[in-house]
Amino acid sequence: MGRKRADLLQGTLDLLVLRVLSREDLHGWGLSKRIRQLSGDVLEVNQGSLYPALYRLRDRGLIEGSWGISPEGRRARFYRLTRAGQKEVDAEQENWRLFTAAVERVLVAD
Amino acid sequence: MGRKRADLLQGTLDLLVLRVLSREDLHGWGLSKRIRQLSGDVLEVNQGSLYPALYRLRDRGLIEGSWGISPEGRRARFYRLTRAGQKEVDAEQENWRLFTAAVERVLVAD
DNA sequence: AGGGATACCTTGACTTTCTAGGCAACCGAT
DNA sequence: ATCGGTTGCCTAGAAAGTCAAGGTATCCCT
C-alpha cells in the first residue's frame, strides 16, 4: 500500500542486475549491496525480489551461476553474464532510455 | 510473454495521467490519445490499463470525473485533478526523477 | 445494411514485487 | 559457552499493476 522510496519499478530490476554483472561477477548478496551503493543509497533490492529475478535471468539463459568463495570467505553463488546476456543488457538499456525519454516528453510537454 | 516496448512500467501510468490532467481536463479516450501523441507514439495506453488506473486515482481522491460532451459530440466522462491531485503530481514527478537518476547512476557507473 | 470511429467498461491471466519468514555458518563480545 | 550480528541462500503467499481480449452503445458515412 504505502509507497516508499526505494520501491523498484517493475522491469528495472532485471536491467540493473544485468548491467552490474556486465562489469563484475557477483553473488546475490554482493549484487544487492553494489546496486544500493552505486545508486547512492536510493535503490534497495529486497532479497525476496532479487533471488527470483536471478532465477528468471538464469532460466532465460542470460546469466550463469557457479559456487565459489566470497571476499568474506563464505560459500556464495557467483553469477556472470552469458553471451546472450551481454547482448540483452545493451538492448534493455536502449529500451530503458527510449522509455524514459518518452515519459519525459509527456512530463515536460509545453 | 514477449516484452514489447510500449509496455508501461508499473507505476508510471498514474504519473502520466496526473501530469496530462494537470494541463487539461480530458476523458479516458482523449487521455489515451494525448499520451500517445505527447510521447511521440512511443507510449501506448491500453484501455484495460487506463480505466482501472482512473478508478484507482479517483478512489485515492486525486481526480474527479463528470459526464460531458467530447469535442466529437459524444457522451464522455471528463476527469480533472483535485487539490490533492495537484500536490500529488508534483510529488510523484519528483519521485520519478529521483528514481530514474538513481537507475542512471547504476547504468553508467564508472 | 454494414463498417469504422468514438467512448466506456469488465474479466481473467500473467508477471513482478514485497513482506515475512526459514536455514546455516561464522565471528566477536560477554 | 552462548548470544547477537553479519553474511549468505532460499521460499511461500499476498498484493499490485498491466495486458489481451472481449462486450456494449452511439454516431456517421457509404
Side-chain angles (χ1 to χ4, degrees):
Chain A
M1 36 192 64
R3 300 193 144 23
K4 281 248 190 87
R5 177 54 24 359
D7 284 15
L8 288 177
L9 267 51
Q10 205 156 305
T12 48
L13 181 53
D14 288 9
L15 171 57
L16 292 173
V17 167
L18 290 175
R19 177 46 79 210
V20 171
L21 288 182
S22 78
R23 287 189 291 255
E24 47 175 339
D25 293 358
L26 279 173
H27 55 296
W29 186 263
L31 206 37
S32 166
K33 283 196 304 181
R34 183 59 108 219
I35 291 177
R36 178 170 56 238
Q37 175 227 328
L38 290 175
S39 74
D41 285 323
V42 175
L43 271 20
E44 294 281 344
V45 181
N46 286 312
Q47 303 288 81
S49 305
L50 179 62
Y51 289 107
L54 288 171
Y55 305 149
R56 267 200 313 273
L57 294 171
R58 184 196 54 197
D59 292 347
R60 287 172 61 200
L62 304 178
I63 63 176
E64 282 173 345
S66 59
W67 288 102
I69 301 296
S70 78
E72 283 78 12
R74 306 293 182 79
R75 174 177 150 283
R77 194 196 292 273
F78 285 80
Y79 291 94
R80 68 175 165 290
L81 284 196
T82 63
R83 194 77 56 95
Q86 292 167 23
K87 283 191 182 157
E88 182 69 9
V89 67
D90 291 333
E92 287 202 20
Q93 179 161 322
E94 172 66 7
N95 235 296
W96 166 256
R97 293 258 160 80
L98 288 175
F99 176 75
T100 53
V103 170
E104 202 60 29
R105 252 173 267 135
V106 175
L107 294 184
V108 304
D110 41 22
Chain B
M1 37 188 64
R3 301 185 145 27
K4 283 252 190 87
R5 190 36 58 247
D7 285 14
L8 287 178
L9 266 51
Q10 206 155 304
T12 47
L13 181 53
D14 288 8
L15 171 57
L16 292 172
V17 167
L18 290 175
R19 176 46 78 211
V20 170
L21 288 182
S22 78
R23 288 189 290 255
E24 47 176 340
D25 293 358
L26 279 173
H27 55 295
W29 187 263
L31 206 36
S32 165
K33 282 197 304 182
R34 184 58 109 218
I35 291 176
R36 178 169 58 238
Q37 175 228 329
L38 290 175
S39 74
D41 285 322
V42 175
L43 271 20
E44 295 281 344
V45 181
N46 285 313
Q47 303 289 78
S49 305
L50 179 62
Y51 289 107
L54 288 172
Y55 306 149
R56 271 201 309 273
L57 294 171
R58 185 194 55 196
D59 292 346
R60 287 173 61 199
L62 303 179
I63 63 176
E64 282 173 346
S66 59
W67 287 103
I69 301 296
S70 79
E72 284 78 12
R74 305 295 183 78
R75 173 177 151 283
R77 193 196 292 273
F78 285 81
Y79 291 94
R80 69 175 164 289
L81 284 196
T82 63
R83 193 78 57 94
Q86 292 166 21
K87 282 191 180 153
E88 182 68 9
V89 67
D90 290 334
E92 287 203 21
Q93 179 161 323
E94 171 66 7
N95 234 294
W96 166 257
R97 293 258 160 81
L98 287 175
F99 177 76
T100 52
V103 170
E104 202 60 30
R105 251 174 266 133
V106 175
L107 293 184
V108 305
D110 48 21

